[in-house]
């Protein structure tokens, strides 16, 4: 199943990775969020790399070069490229801060926000409303931002525990999905955030979700929207499983918010077992509706296809050269079948599946 | 440090924790669709005095099936919690067959003394959680009329020369006096809480609160003149109306041989006959069968402690189970703590700092009685029923266990 060629590798000594993201404008640009001391304490570093992919040579090996780096006071846990400005990107940090960087400017961010009270674990830029991005934090909240505004546009209390990831729907504006320590996936409509009537909004306010999916008995660490099938999501977490959810049943605002219809459910279409430890990241292919990559604490990055006769999904590829937890993986947006993975072994691997 | 703990949790798969998490409804939840009990009747004097333990079992099985709205053949396993019968599995197997449950349904006995009913619920719940069965019936039963709780004297040097080992063979009354003596529990406090138990049970019975949890049963009853008649028993008969703290204060010590001799017939649990049944299944199964879901079993914790003060066990077991599910004492809407003796009941409520308005609100074992194997399952029936009445969510049941153990469990009403 595995091909013999070794991956292209970039080492970042002393800085263990937390996530990585490909530029939506330049096929070669890849940003990596990393932290000293495995992100437990100490500085962070944003790495900007360029991946040389020889066009037109099938199977040609890419090369990875470090172009630039930015140091931060606390560990960096996630990075997202701007969808309107080719040189800008945003990072989320362990100290609760969010920073906007311009790669034409050295050393310092061009803007910084600090509203979250705990670690910011994910940032995501909307590819529909291209002047907006969201952040999710271990403080349980998700915040909506515009690069031009000094404060968040909206803040919702999505969960009462850590929110590991929040992602915009690639199909509809203002719709986001979140996943949390509490074992649920939730879908929110940011147009009309209201507090759930079932909670005490003074002592324990929770924003009403359009849909809550009890996805696992343990923590959900990552999720992704399928790029081709609206309201199909994948989740991965501590239970070592990757699950695919059909959420087309969801009813969105304004009806939902005004009537306080909070649905619970989601149909689990397939469940893929194979990782030996918790699944840290899942990402659907931007090129194929059935292909999904995952990164795990079991030191592997795997690729799965949901397009099997029984519909249950199957393993397509295992990438196992990493020697520590694999914490991130991202499909190249321009080169079909090229996947980048990053790890606590301080290596970024880029390879063809 | 928080960061390390958070990341470590990724590598130590366990259940999700916290108030929101345990209230989330998942298809894999173990839910309760039925929790009922027979009336609790005074041993040797009450309504069930002439009912053998297997007859009582037949009745509770029949009632459970009749009220469950399911085909008894769907039950994957039965666990019966009971302590005193000499041939418990003979009784359980024959009783389930006599009650009309098909032969292919298996049955098992569980004995952890006063927690046996809860252990039966826990055992069935665990079997459902791991996928061994889809539906299971947990029963707790004791006929203390037929099988008296006789003392046992070990006849071996190994045990008799080992003080803690010897202690766990001592009568329970001795442990009650030890708790009162060691922890400075006053007779006055014991009588006060016991009177409250009677008053609450009286109010609950007169207001009809128990109607939803009691299933009336028809049994043989021998009158004073020796004639045997069929009698339908539908109410608890151990509740003494009009009991006051002052009246209880006049009762003589039951154990004058042990200091401080504060335990009396009025401030200890009654010797009682009774049975209770709890039907459990996966939520997905209950929904497929269209059954009403009363609540779910979330977790059980069991602990051991020094046998001579076994009564203080809920003080240990309750925080254990709360930590296990990640909620605080304030999140709990209702506690059912077995009043084995009011010395331990006073101690546990005091040391845990419980709001007495949330504990045993319809009386406890002092007023209703304590049929050993039944109690753990009875608390589930009483607790879920009361939770529905007061529109609460979280129930914690707990008891001390003879021999130096204790248990506590968390249930969430749907």
């Amino acid at each position: 199943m595995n091909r013999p060629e070794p991956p292209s590798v970039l080492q970042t000594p002393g800085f263990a990775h937390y996530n990585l993201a490909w530029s939506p404008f330049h096929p070669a640009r890849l940003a990596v969020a990393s932290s000293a001391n495995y992100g437990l304490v100490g500085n962070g570093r944003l790495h900007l790399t360029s991946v040389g992919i020889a066009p037109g040579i099938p199977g040609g090996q890419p090369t990875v070069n470090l172009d630039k780096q930015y140091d931060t006071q606390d560990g960096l846990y996630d990075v997202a490229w701007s969808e309107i400005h080719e040189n800008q990107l945003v990072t989320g940090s362990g100290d609760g801060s969010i920073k906007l960087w311009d790669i034409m400017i050295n050393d310092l961010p061009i803007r910084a926000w600090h509203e979250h009270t705990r670690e910011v674990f994910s940032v995501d830029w909307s590819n529909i409303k291209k002047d907006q991005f969201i952040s999710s934090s271990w403080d349980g909240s998700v915040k909506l931002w515009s690069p031009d505004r000094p404060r968040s546009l909206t803040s919702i209390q999505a969960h009462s525990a850590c929110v590991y990831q929040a992602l915009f729907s690639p199909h509809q504006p203002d719709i986001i999905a979140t996943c949390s320590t509490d074992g649920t996936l939730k879908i929110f409509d940011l147009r009309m955030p209201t507090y759930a009537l079932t909670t005490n909004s003074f002592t324990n306010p929770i924003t009403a979700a359009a849909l809550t999916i009890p996805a696992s008995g343990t923590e959900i660490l990552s999720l992704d929207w399928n790029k081709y099938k609206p309201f199909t999501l994948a989740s991965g977490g501590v239970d070592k499983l990757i699950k695919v959810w059909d959420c087309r049943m969801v009813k969105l605002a304004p009806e939902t918010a005004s009537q306080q219809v909070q649905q619970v459910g989601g149909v689990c279409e397939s469940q893929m077992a194979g990782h030996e430890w918790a699944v840290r990241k899942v990402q659907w292919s931007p090129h194929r509706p059935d292909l999904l990559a995952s990164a795990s604490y079991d030191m592997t990055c795997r690729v799965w296809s949901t397009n099997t006769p029984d519909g249950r999904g199957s393993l397509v590829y295992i990438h196992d050269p990493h020697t520590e937890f694999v914490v991130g993986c991202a499909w190249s947006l321009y080169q079909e079948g090229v996947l980048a993975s990053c790890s606590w072994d301080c290596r970024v691997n880029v390879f063809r599946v | 440090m928080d960061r390390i703990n958070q990341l470590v949790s990724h590598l130590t798969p366990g259940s999700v924790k916290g108030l929101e998490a345990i209230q989330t409804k998942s298809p894999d939840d173990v839910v309760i669709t039925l929790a009922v009990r027979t009336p609790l009747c005074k041993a040797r004097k009450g309504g069930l005095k002439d009912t053998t333990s297997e007859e009582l079992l037949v009745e509770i099985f029949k009632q459970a099936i009749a009220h469950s709205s399911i085909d008894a053949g769907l039950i994957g396993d039965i666990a019966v919690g009971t302590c005193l019968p000499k041939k418990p599995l003979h009784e359980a197997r024959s009783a389930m067959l006599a009650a009309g449950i098909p032969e292919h349904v298996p049955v098992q006995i569980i004995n952890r003394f006063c927690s046996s009913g809860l252990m039966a619920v826990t055992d069935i719940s665990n079997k459902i959680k791991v996928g061994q069965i889809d539906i299971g019936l947990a029963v707790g039963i004791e006929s203390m009329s037929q099988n008296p709780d006789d003392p046992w004297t070990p006849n071996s040097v190994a045990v008799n020369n080992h003080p803690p080992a010897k202690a766990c063979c001592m009568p329970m009354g001795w442990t009650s006096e030890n708790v009162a003596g060691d922890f400075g529990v006053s007779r006055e406090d014991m009588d006060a809480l016991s009177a409250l138990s009677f008053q609450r049970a009286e109010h609950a019975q007169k207001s009809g609160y128990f109607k939803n949890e009691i299933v009336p049963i028809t049994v043989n009853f021998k009158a004073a003149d020796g004639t045997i008649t069929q009698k339908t028993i539908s109410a608890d008969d151990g509740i003494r109306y009009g009991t006051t703290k002052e009246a209880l204060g006049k009762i003589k010590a039951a154990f004058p041989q042990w200091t401080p001799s504060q335990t009396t017939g009025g401030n200890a649990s009654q010797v009682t006959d009774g049975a209770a049944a709890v039907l459990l299944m996966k939520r997905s199964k209950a929904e497929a069968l269209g059954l009403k879901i009363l609540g779910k079993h979330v977790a059980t914790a069991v602990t051991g402690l020094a046998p001579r003060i076994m009564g203080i066990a809920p003080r240990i077991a309750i925080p254990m189970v709360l930590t296990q599910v990640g909620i605080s004492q304030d999140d709990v809407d209702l506690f059912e703590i077995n009043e084995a003796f009011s010395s331990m009941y006073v101690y546990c409520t005091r040391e845990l700092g419980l709001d007495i308005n949330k504990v045993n609100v319809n009386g406890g074992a002092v007023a209703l009685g304590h049929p050993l194997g039944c109690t753990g399952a009875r608390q589930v029936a009483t607790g879920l029923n009361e939770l529905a009445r007061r529109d609460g969510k979280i129930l914690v049941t707990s008891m001390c266990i003879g021999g130096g153990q204790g248990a506590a469990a968390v249930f969430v009403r749907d």
Side-chain angles (χ1 to χ4, degrees), chain A residues 59-293:
Chain A
Q61 273 303 298
T63 56
V64 191
N65 297 304
L66 180 62
D67 295 341
K68 201 164 210 167
Q69 62 192 41
Y70 296 95
D71 286 336
T72 57
Q73 282 289 317
D74 206 329
L76 293 181
Y77 291 157
D78 200 13
V79 56
W81 288 90
S82 166
E83 294 278 345
I84 39 171
H85 197 303
E86 59 176 340
N87 289 332
Q88 293 184 358
L89 66 177
V90 66
T91 55
S93 171
D95 60 8
S97 71
I98 293 164
K99 294 184 170 70
L100 185 70
W101 309 86
D102 190 307
I103 63 171
M104 304 310 284
I105 294 167
N106 292 335
D107 302 327
L108 293 170
I110 57 170
R111 191 151 290 149
W113 297 270
H114 201 155
E115 289 185 19
H116 285 295
T117 54
R118 288 196 64 190
E119 291 81 351
V120 176
F121 215 68
S122 89
V123 283
D124 183 47
W125 209 289
S126 171
N127 66 355
I128 299 174
K129 286 189 173 173
K130 291 175 186 280
D131 59 341
Q132 292 184 352
F133 65 92
I134 45 172
S135 60
S136 81
S137 163
W138 288 3
D139 64 14
S141 69
V142 172
K143 290 175 187 282
L144 177 69
W145 309 85
S146 164
D148 304 326
R149 302 286 185 89
R151 278 179 243 299
S152 59
L153 303 173
T154 305
S155 181
I156 64 168
Q157 193 64 33
H159 299 261
S160 54
C162 300
V163 187
Y164 286 111
Q165 203 174 6
L167 287 182
F168 280 108
S169 160
H171 302 103
Q172 277 177 283
D174 304 307
I175 305 300
I176 65 161
T178 61
C179 64
S180 162
T181 293
D182 66 18
T184 62
L185 283 181
K186 289 185 180 180
I187 295 177
F188 293 93
D189 187 332
L190 293 179
R191 285 172 293 182
M192 291 193 79
T194 53
Y195 285 122
L197 290 179
T198 50
T199 59
N200 183 330
S201 55
F202 291 98
T203 60
N204 183 27
I206 288 285
T207 304
L211 178 68
T212 299
I213 306 159
S216 170
T218 56
E219 297 183 85
I220 311 284
L221 304 180
S222 182
L223 69 96
D224 195 23
W225 297 86
N226 190 293
K227 312 298 186 287
Y228 293 88
K229 294 183 268 187
F231 287 101
T232 295
L233 289 109
S235 69
V238 174
D239 63 9
K240 307 169 196 172
L241 300 172
I242 295 159
K243 295 178 186 174
V244 180
W245 301 92
D246 180 347
C247 303
R248 283 175 296 182
M249 58 178 304
V250 67
K251 293 189 185 71
L252 298 169
E255 312 89 67
T256 317
S258 56
Q259 296 168 5
Q260 281 276 340
V261 180
Q262 294 181 63
Q263 289 174 290
V264 175
V267 179
C268 187
E269 276 189 336
S270 55
Q271 182 169 310
M272 291 168 282
H275 277 300
E276 291 163 34
W277 285 103
V279 179
R280 180 63 178 263
K281 176 87 186 267
V282 290
Q283 193 181 55
W284 288 100
S285 162
H287 298 103
R288 280 172 56 182
D290 65 309
L291 220 54
L292 179 77

Side-chain angles (χ1 to χ4, degrees), chain A residues 18 39-40 74 77 94 119 160 162 164 181-182 186 214 217-219 221 238 277-278 297, chain B residues 1-4 6-7 9-17 19-21 24-27:
Chain A
Y18 266 77
L40 301 176
D74 206 329
Y77 291 157
E119 291 81 351
S160 54
C162 300
Y164 286 111
T181 293
D182 66 18
K186 289 185 180 180
T218 56
E219 297 183 85
L221 304 180
V238 174
W277 285 103
Y297 283 95
Chain B
M1 210 52 213
D2 286 351
R3 283 189 197 171
I4 296 178
Q6 196 65 38
L7 293 171
S9 74
H10 298 172
L11 299 170
T12 45
S15 293
V16 283
K17 290 187 171 185
L19 191 59
E20 196 189 0
T24 304
K25 292 173 186 174
S26 149

Side-chain angles (χ1 to χ4, degrees), chain B residues 69-122:
Chain B
S69 326
I70 66 161
D71 171 6
L74 294 174
I75 297 173
D77 203 354
I78 301 174
V80 175
T82 189
C83 309
L84 301 173
K86 290 221 163 46
K87 293 281 187 184
L89 191 58
H90 285 98
E91 292 184 6
R93 180 67 178 158
S94 56
M96 61 157 277
L97 295 173
I101 299 175
E103 289 169 353
H104 71 260
V105 178
V107 62
Q108 165 189 15
I109 294 295
I110 291 184
N111 183 356
R112 205 199 298 261
F113 291 164
C114 316
S115 70
S116 302
L118 176 60
M119 292 304 121
V121 170
T122 305

Side-chain angles (χ1 to χ4, degrees), chain B residues 216-344:
Chain B
I217 56 172
T218 302
V219 295
N220 291 328
F221 189 84
K222 198 191 280 182
D225 60 6
T227 55
I228 294 174
T229 51
Q230 292 267 303
K231 195 171 167 186
T232 298
I233 313 288
S234 56
D236 303 325
D237 63 19
I239 306 167
R240 283 190 287 264
Y241 286 1
T243 302
T244 61
K245 185 176 127 186
E246 289 70 30
L248 292 179
K250 290 177 191 141
I251 303 175
K252 273 196 277 187
F255 309 107
Q257 68 272 42
W258 300 309
T259 54
S261 305
Q262 290 177 180
T263 305
T264 71
N267 65 24
S269 60
Q270 299 178 31
V271 180
T272 300
D273 305 326
V278 179
L279 186 67
L280 299 110
M281 61 187 77
K282 272 225 160 76
R283 181 183 296 278
S284 52
K285 194 75 187 176
E287 283 170 354
L289 292 169
L291 300 175
K292 182 175 164 24
I293 296 170
L294 305 176
K296 71 171 171 182
H297 172 238
V298 181
T300 299
V302 190
T303 182
L305 74 161
R308 63 179 297 279
I309 47 166
M310 66 92 203
I312 68 163
R315 162 83 180 81
I316 305 167
I318 290 175
M320 246 175 102
V321 80
L322 294 180
T323 308
Q324 199 175 312
V325 302
I327 61 172
S328 77
Q329 204 165 284
D330 296 336
D331 296 328
V332 179
D333 298 302
L334 191 65
F335 290 90
E336 282 285 334
I337 298 175
N338 188 39
E339 301 165 358
F341 295 98
S342 50
S343 55
M344 54 72 56

